[in-house]
Amino acid sequence: MKNLDQRNQIIEYSLKLNSTNLSPLRSGNISLRGKEEDNEGYLITPSGKKYETLKPEDIVFMNLNDELENNDSVNQPSSEWRFHRDIYLNKKDAQAIVHAHSPHATAVSSHGKSIPPFHYMIALAGGEDIKCAEYATFGTEELSKNIMKALENRSACLMSNHGQVAFGKNLDQAFELAQEIENICQQYIIALKIGEPKILSLKEMEKVLDKAKDYKKG
């Protein structure tokens, strides 16, 4: 079977979506940039299958140049394949993507607002705040465009009334970033219960962003 190691890795991290409660049941999806023969593309979790039932042959290869690769009726790609494709097309450093309906990120996203720099760890997403992509129906071109706008100069964002998406140079990095985003959202919710949190200045965040480059290498 082609890309067996990558297929098994996607299954491993899909199971972690459930075991860590980052994305319960069938929600969320995972992909890895890949190649089959001379076709540049990505491997992505199938639509509607519980992660605990996944087998290597269930993971779907998608061609970057096609709207939708021809697949049989049993193994259809995640309904969110479009924004995975667009991230790979537009973010050359994206090698893996994790999309999750994590509880706190989803709760914050329901307000449709970016998360301001109440904590310096915001910088892990690549900017001075964490953007929230405007709402659009799942799986649509409109949603993908909104996500790409929110990901400008960033490696993670919230998705209004939906969840979050993060990418990295490998699945471990992308998954860890998604966990960081979930943790930041939980902290933000707690901070708001006390009142409006103190916001770090742009000047301070510029310093943090510079230091974060070395943090990400660790």
Side-chain angles (χ1 to χ4, degrees), residues 3-218:
N3 299 305
L4 182 59
D5 288 345
Q6 286 183 304
R7 291 170 184 272
N8 283 328
Q9 192 178 7
I10 289 173
I11 292 172
E12 175 190 350
Y13 279 86
S14 296
L15 291 171
K16 285 180 68 174
L17 282 177
N18 284 175
S19 65
T20 62
N21 200 37
L22 194 64
S23 210
L25 302 174
R26 305 167 197 253
S27 68
N29 34 73
I30 285 178
S31 70
L32 266 174
R33 192 188 289 272
K35 189 174 183 179
E36 284 195 358
E37 298 176 352
D38 292 328
N39 296 316
E40 297 287 343
Y42 57 100
L43 294 124
I44 189 168
T45 46
S47 178
K49 287 198 173 186
K50 288 185 177 180
Y51 297 133
E52 63 191 33
T53 70
L54 288 179
K55 297 178 178 62
E57 57 267 29
D58 295 326
I59 306 304
V60 182
F61 177 77
M62 300 286 290
N63 195 316
L64 279 178
N65 298 317
D66 293 339
E67 277 294 301
L68 183 59
E69 185 77 353
N70 292 326
N71 296 292
D72 60 51
S73 59
V74 176
N75 296 317
Q76 290 298 309
S78 165
S79 59
E80 301 289 17
W81 64 268
R82 190 183 300 274
F83 74 70
H84 285 258
R85 181 202 64 182
D86 290 349
I87 290 174
Y88 288 127
L89 284 172
N90 292 280
K91 303 283 189 178
K92 300 307 179 185
D93 54 338
Q95 297 295 319
I97 299 169
V98 173
H99 164 49
H101 297 180
S102 52
H104 297 93
T106 301
V108 174
S109 81
S110 69
H111 291 270
K113 296 180 180 179
S114 299
I115 302 179
F118 76 101
H119 194 294
Y120 69 86
M121 292 288 276
I122 290 283
L124 291 181
E128 71 275 8
D129 61 4
I130 298 175
K131 300 293 186 185
C132 185
E134 292 184 12
Y135 179 80
T137 305
F138 72 93
T140 61
E141 182 177 358
E142 182 183 5
L143 175 59
S144 185
K145 287 180 178 179
N146 293 347
I147 289 171
M148 294 312 303
K149 183 177 179 180
L151 283 176
E152 185 175 355
N153 299 318
R154 287 162 176 75
S155 52
C157 72
L158 301 183
M159 301 159 61
S160 185
N161 303 91
H162 192 149
Q164 60 147 309
V165 62
F167 68 82
K169 63 183 180 182
N170 52 51
L171 259 180
D172 188 60
Q173 187 184 81
F175 196 91
E176 182 176 323
L177 180 55
Q179 289 179 304
E180 292 282 8
I181 299 302
E182 171 64 6
N183 188 49
I184 287 168
C185 288
Q186 182 178 19
Q187 292 171 341
Y188 188 48
I189 289 171
I190 293 171
L192 289 173
K193 289 179 180 179
I194 301 172
E196 285 296 324
K198 176 184 176 181
I199 302 302
L200 298 175
S201 67
L202 179 59
K203 183 178 180 180
E204 175 60 21
M205 285 305 295
E206 287 174 348
K207 294 179 185 178
V208 173
L209 284 164
D210 187 58
K211 291 174 72 68
K213 295 175 184 177
D214 293 328
Y215 181 90
K216 288 182 178 180
K217 294 176 183 178

